Amino acid sequence: MNRPLIVIFASIVLDAVGIGLIFPILPSLLQEVTHSNDVAPYIGTMTALYAVMQFIFAPVLGALSDRLGRRPVLLISLAGAAINYSFLAVASNLGMLLLGRAIAGLTSANISVATAYITDISPEHMRARRFGLFNAMFGIGFIIGPVLGGALGDHWLRLPFIAAAVLNACNLLLAFLVLPESRTPTREKIDLSALNPLRPLRFVFSVKSVLPIIFIFFVFSATGEAYGTCWALWSSDAFQWNGLWIGLSLGTFGVCQTLAQAFLPGPTVKLLGERSAVLTGVAGVCIALTVMAFATQSWMIFAIMPVFALGGIGVPALQSLATRQVDESQQGQFQGVLASAVSLASIVGPLAFSSLYFVVKEQWPGAIWLSVIVVYAISVPMVLGLRLKTPAAASAIESVGF
């Protein structure tokens, strides 16, 4: 493996560790800063603010990476992450926390630029394997991060944020010293219309038949936001878990999810077909969420994790199913629309689920997971009603490394 790839993969691991570090103890930080025990709306606001800034500025950073090169944009992004965690480490009021998250969202191009970098330096026949390693590196980092963050946070609440800032600073230094540019900068003018984050959505009005699959992607992405927004709050309220136990639960889920996504999608699609694989994933998640909603003992959460992770087989199958909704000539536009839908879900989901948790937490914290099941249920008739326009393409799963 060449040196640039090693640097990129190390950067992704460090980035994922930094993200995961803060999940177990963010509620405690907000309680300290806001002097309130009801911090669910604040978590939703911070998460949505990050997503809004990312949604607005991701096209700008993408265009700049094409115009100026990958390396400077990646360095800017890493610097933004380090600044964000530094703000979180020293924040004495909510305004500083929000400013840090806004900066992080504005500069959040790590993953997309790293993906473009790998594309630049990889022959076409090696891209699937390298993207598989890319996803594995992020998964490893996200398994380590919550456990480490929970353990550090139990010693001192600000310590995980300091650690995340240091990790991103090291990440920045590593990229600055070692990473070469992968793309020759161009002198072409940037197409200003391409910077409009809503531009891809115009495709929907020209091909209205894709609305169901876009809505399904939106629903799946929005439900995914419920876990990051409410998991730490719920586990603390329902089981009085400290930071370490919250981190261990997230790390356990990360292990199960990574294994499920690595080994199950391909065989499941071959056995059941794409549509049934998606529904099987939804069923697994809904069973796990039901157990979590009614759980009275904390061991039950760890016991249900393998079933919960079955949801990991649904997304790759859905991605394959999505590619069959439009012709090859429209795939680029269609993928842009799906990316926009996911971004919008990242804004709406945290706000909706954090607000709902604020309402139900006193009477029944676990009710939040029943609400996620209800949202999933909305997508089931649409999955069943999808019309496949092109010949069977189950091999698409294989082409992305599953």
Side-chain angles (χ1 to χ4, degrees):
M1 187 181 296
N2 57 44
R3 189 173 65 177
L5 269 180
I6 293 174
V7 174
I8 286 291
F9 288 152
S11 296
I12 292 304
V13 172
L14 291 175
D15 187 53
V17 169
I19 294 171
L21 274 170
I22 72 168
F23 273 108
I25 42 80
L26 185 57
S28 298
L29 176 68
L30 284 166
Q31 288 174 358
E32 178 182 284
V33 169
T34 63
H35 308 292
S36 170
N37 289 324
D38 296 322
V39 297
Y42 298 119
I43 292 179
T45 300
M46 287 185 67
T47 306
L49 175 62
Y50 178 93
V52 167
M53 298 299 287
Q54 186 179 51
F55 179 66
I56 294 172
F57 288 98
V60 177
L61 293 173
L64 287 177
S65 73
D66 289 337
R67 176 71 172 80
L68 304 177
R70 314 299 186 201
R71 186 173 181 272
V73 177
L74 183 61
L75 294 177
I76 291 170
S77 182
L78 293 173
I83 292 170
N84 163 50
Y85 292 122
S86 299
F87 268 101
L88 293 176
V90 301
S92 58
N93 56 66
L94 183 61
M96 291 183 67
L97 293 180
L98 294 175
L99 178 60
R101 292 308 287 162
I103 293 172
L106 188 152
T107 59
S108 59
N110 306 35
I111 302 301
S112 59
V113 175
T115 301
Y117 193 101
I118 291 175
T119 302
D120 291 341
I121 66 173
S122 302
E124 189 170 343
H125 68 281
M126 297 184 67
R127 287 177 186 169
R129 178 175 177 273
R130 288 181 175 181
F131 284 133
L133 289 172
F134 178 96
N135 292 330
M137 294 300 105
F138 190 88
I140 290 170
F142 206 79
I143 292 167
I144 297 171
V147 179
L148 185 59
L152 293 175
D154 286 343
H155 286 283
W156 179 32
L157 188 57
R158 306 286 177 145
L159 192 55
F161 302 103
I162 295 173
V166 170
L167 281 175
N168 276 275
C170 293
N171 204 348
L172 173 63
L173 183 62
L174 179 67
F176 179 78
L177 293 177
V178 180
L179 195 67
E181 179 55 68
S182 66
R183 175 185 175 88
T184 303
T186 176
R187 294 186 179 182
E188 295 179 6
K189 291 184 178 180
I190 295 175
D191 180 6
L192 295 181
S193 64
L195 305 184
N196 179 4
L198 296 175
R199 184 185 184 188
L201 296 178
R202 282 189 279 179
F203 177 73
V204 175
F205 298 103
S206 61
V207 188
K208 294 183 180 180
S209 61
V210 301
L211 272 173
I213 193 73
I214 292 170
F215 182 78
I216 294 168
F217 263 86
F218 180 87
V219 167
F220 275 43
S221 300
T223 53
E225 295 296 327
Y227 312 128
T229 304
C230 301
W231 187 280
L233 293 166
W234 160 75
S235 56
S236 178
D237 291 334
F239 305 113
Q240 290 73 53
W241 282 354
N242 60 15
L244 177 59
W245 279 104
I246 295 172
L248 286 172
S249 68
L250 290 169
T252 302
F253 175 74
V255 170
C256 294
Q257 181 85 344
T258 299
L259 291 174
Q261 289 188 335
F263 298 109
L264 295 182
T268 304
V269 167
K270 289 180 179 178
L271 180 66
L272 302 177
E274 292 157 333
R275 195 195 314 269
S276 295
V278 173
L279 295 174
T280 300
V282 171
V285 170
C286 290
I287 291 170
L289 290 173
T290 302
V291 173
M292 289 163 57
F294 292 97
T296 56
Q297 301 292 325
S298 58
W299 64 264
M300 299 170 71
I301 308 306
F302 288 89
I304 202 66
M305 286 292 185
V307 178
F308 199 172
L310 283 178
I313 71 176
V315 175
L318 181 62
Q319 289 170 330
S320 179
L321 204 57
T323 64
R324 299 168 60 190
Q325 303 305 301
V326 298
D327 297 333
E328 289 297 324
S329 62
Q330 297 175 312
Q331 285 294 333
Q333 288 176 295
F334 183 49
Q335 294 301 323
V337 173
L338 293 180
S340 294
V342 170
S343 297
L344 289 173
S346 299
I347 298 169
V348 175
L351 292 174
F353 286 113
S354 63
S355 299
L356 184 58
Y357 188 80
F358 178 76
V359 173
V360 304
K361 64 166 289 191
E362 295 297 334
Q363 291 75 30
W364 183 15
I368 189 64
W369 305 127
L370 296 183
S371 74
V372 179
I373 294 175
V374 171
V375 177
Y376 266 121
I378 296 172
S379 69
V380 171
M382 291 194 172
V383 174
L384 291 172
L386 285 177
R387 299 176 61 185
L388 307 182
K389 294 187 174 183
T390 57
S395 61
I397 290 287
E398 302 296 336
S399 71
V400 293
F402 290 103

